[in-house]
Amino acid sequence: MSEFYISAIPTAVHWQPTSAAAEAAEVYVRRIFPDPDGTMQEVKVEFHDRIAVIHPGENLERITCPRCRGDISLDWFDALVTLAEGEFDNLDGTMPCCGTVLPLDTLDYDWPCGYARFEIGIRDACRPEYEFTEAELAELGNILGHPVRQILAHF
Ligand SMILES: [Zn+2]
């Protein structure tokens, strides 16, 4: 069965909120993403010790090198992520297209792929307005203390 995830992550790779801010953010997310009978969706707050890949799953269709504009194969990327078990201390990688060493978070991902040490994820959100709106992302950023963006994943 398909699963859909909406993840809000800080726009800075290393940034983490305080635990109090994370709790307040979870309360806010549960309020704007209601789950009437409490069984349809899952809201998860995660702190990662290392930098975690917030992968868009099947939504990832294309990766482009920002240096040479070459296509980077999804197989190359997924092998790299698998080898790292989804977590990194250092995002630098040698690009298969042109040999340039670039941080992985600077590649062009379609759909977006994120890197973060904190995330709030919603699995199989119930509400019909599926994504966070811009206003909700701004409010969530205010609560956490740092701007956030969203990654939409389908597995
Ligand atoms: Zn390249």
Side-chain angles (χ1 to χ4, degrees), residues 23-133:
E23 283 171 25
E26 181 177 355
V27 169
Y28 174 68
V29 167
R30 288 184 186 279
R31 181 159 62 76
I32 61 174
F33 283 89
D35 184 1
D37 66 7
T39 60
M40 298 299 290
Q41 70 182 19
E42 183 186 4
V43 174
K44 210 160 71 174
V45 174
E46 287 188 277
F47 285 84
H48 300 287
D49 289 336
R50 303 168 72 208
I51 302 165
V53 181
I54 315 300
H55 197 296
E58 292 174 17
N59 287 339
L60 184 58
E61 293 170 356
R62 186 171 190 188
I63 306 172
T64 309
C65 174
R67 183 63 59 88
C68 74
R69 304 312 305 169
D71 277 337
I72 292 171
S73 87
L74 300 184
D75 288 343
W76 177 86
F77 178 68
D78 284 333
L80 188 76
V81 170
T82 300
L83 189 66
E85 297 180 340
E87 294 193 330
F88 295 88
D89 292 314
N90 179 338
L91 292 177
D92 285 348
T94 303
M95 296 303 109
C97 39
C98 58
T100 310
V101 175
L102 292 171
L104 295 172
D105 61 320
T106 64
L107 310 187
D108 294 328
Y109 298 92
D110 181 19
W111 297 8
C113 176
Y115 295 86
R117 294 183 60 224
F118 175 78
E119 64 177 306
I120 296 184
I122 305 141
R123 180 174 58 80
D124 297 330
C126 296
R127 75 176 196 183
E129 306 82 10
Y130 182 65
E131 307 173 22
F132 284 103
T133 66

